Amino acid sequence: MTTGTTATRMWVFDAPTAIIDKGLIEDGATGDWMTPFPTFLIEHPRGLVLFDTGLSPDAAGDPAAVYGAGTNSRIEYSREQRLDRRLRAVGFEPADIEHVVLSHLHFDHTGGMKLFPDAQFYLGAGELSYALNPAAHLCGLYRRDELEDARNLRLHEISGDHDLFGDAAISLLFLPGHSPGSLAMMVRLPGRTIILSGDIAHTRAALESASPFPLDHDSASAVRSIERLRAVGDRFGADIWVGHDPDDWHRFGPGCYE
């Protein structure tokens, strides 16, 4: 990665949240845990880039209609939080998005894919093939109908780190383990550099201790990827944003970053 230009700015949208069993996040933990489902829009001189697509827009206002009975009380997702409405709130239409980077294909990152049928999509090598035939205990993390639709998108598989525009402004980091093709994204802005971790780590504590997630595809690879994520952050003086961590959500928060 060489020093080059920067992205212009980044928007982080007000995100749906869910209350889940903390034992799903940390082995042996108990009690409820709040997690956000964030999406990020980056403006670059060569186009708009979206990192992850969040929950399905069809679930806004009634999550149970998409994610099953009993979820409505645990997922907070207003109609105003729909990704297409958040894009319009900052002056863009879904058709304006030229590039979509998917950190991985778990359902809370893929729900809005259908809003961008003409965009170029980027995902890690092996991600789609595994998501279509996952291990039995991980099936609940994927939505088959969304993945079947993804086959019709303009997909680019990334088998290693990838400089999206060749100028070091937006770099995709190939960090498998949580899933076979997990990606993070480093964004160089005029005033700071931020790494969007995807699900490489789910909590700040897991990032700092390089602890795997109970539902990782490959725990050993996940630990190595967390360690590499920290090393890249240190090398470039980047702030790492752990997307699902509620404290990181409050520390960074929605808004415009420059």
Side-chain angles (χ1 to χ4, degrees):
M1 300 175 190
T2 60
T3 300
T5 188
T6 67
T8 307
R9 51 188 167 170
M10 178 175 78
W11 289 271
V12 185
F13 300 127
D14 183 31
T17 60
I19 303 297
I20 64 176
D21 179 356
K22 195 171 184 180
L24 297 173
I25 303 297
E26 297 177 359
D27 281 328
T30 59
D32 289 339
W33 191 74
M34 186 281 285
T35 185
F37 302 115
T39 54
F40 306 83
L41 177 67
I42 299 92
E43 184 180 53
H44 184 277
R46 290 175 55 187
L48 294 170
V49 181
L50 189 70
F51 185 69
D52 281 336
T53 68
L55 297 176
S56 170
D58 298 333
D62 185 13
V66 172
Y67 298 116
T71 60
N72 197 33
S73 62
R74 304 188 68 82
I75 298 177
E76 296 288 337
Y77 184 13
S78 72
R79 289 181 174 84
E80 287 307 308
Q81 290 172 322
R82 282 176 52 123
L83 181 53
D84 50 350
R85 294 190 180 186
R86 292 294 87 211
L87 288 169
R88 292 184 181 109
V90 296
F92 300 111
E93 292 292 328
D96 296 327
I97 307 304
E98 299 175 52
H99 309 274
V100 179
V101 177
L102 297 172
S103 64
H104 61 304
L105 293 177
H106 291 170
F107 74 90
D108 52 319
H109 300 261
T110 61
M113 290 191 298
K114 63 185 178 182
L115 296 171
F116 312 102
D118 298 320
Q120 304 275 353
F121 278 76
Y122 303 83
L123 70 163
E127 186 71 16
L128 182 58
S129 60
Y130 181 81
L132 289 167
N133 188 31
H137 70 291
L138 298 178
C139 282
L141 298 174
Y142 300 96
R143 288 182 56 81
R144 182 81 186 194
D145 56 336
E146 291 175 351
L147 300 177
E148 292 289 353
D149 290 344
R151 288 174 158 173
N152 299 318
L153 299 172
R154 298 159 71 186
L155 297 173
H156 304 274
E157 285 200 331
I158 306 301
S159 59
D161 293 351
H162 180 69
D163 186 340
L164 191 60
F165 295 115
D167 60 5
I170 300 175
S171 301
L172 312 186
L173 307 176
F174 184 65
L175 297 168
H178 176 58
S179 68
S182 285
L183 300 175
M185 187 163 78
M186 184 164 68
V187 182
R188 293 182 62 246
L189 295 164
R192 67 195 300 186
T193 297
I194 298 176
I195 298 178
L196 308 175
S197 73
D199 282 9
I200 309 306
H202 283 70
T203 67
R204 175 64 48 177
L207 175 69
E208 293 174 351
S209 63
S211 299
F213 178 67
L215 296 177
D216 282 335
H217 162 69
D218 181 335
S219 294
S221 293
V223 168
R224 289 193 294 271
S225 287
I226 293 173
E227 291 172 340
R228 181 166 180 259
L229 176 65
R230 292 192 323 210
V232 172
D234 289 343
R235 178 184 173 192
F236 290 94
D239 295 318
I240 298 175
W241 187 332
V242 181
H244 282 308
D245 186 277
D247 292 333
D248 270 26
W249 180 245
H250 292 303
R251 181 163 68 98
F252 291 98
C256 184
Y257 292 73
E258 297 180 336

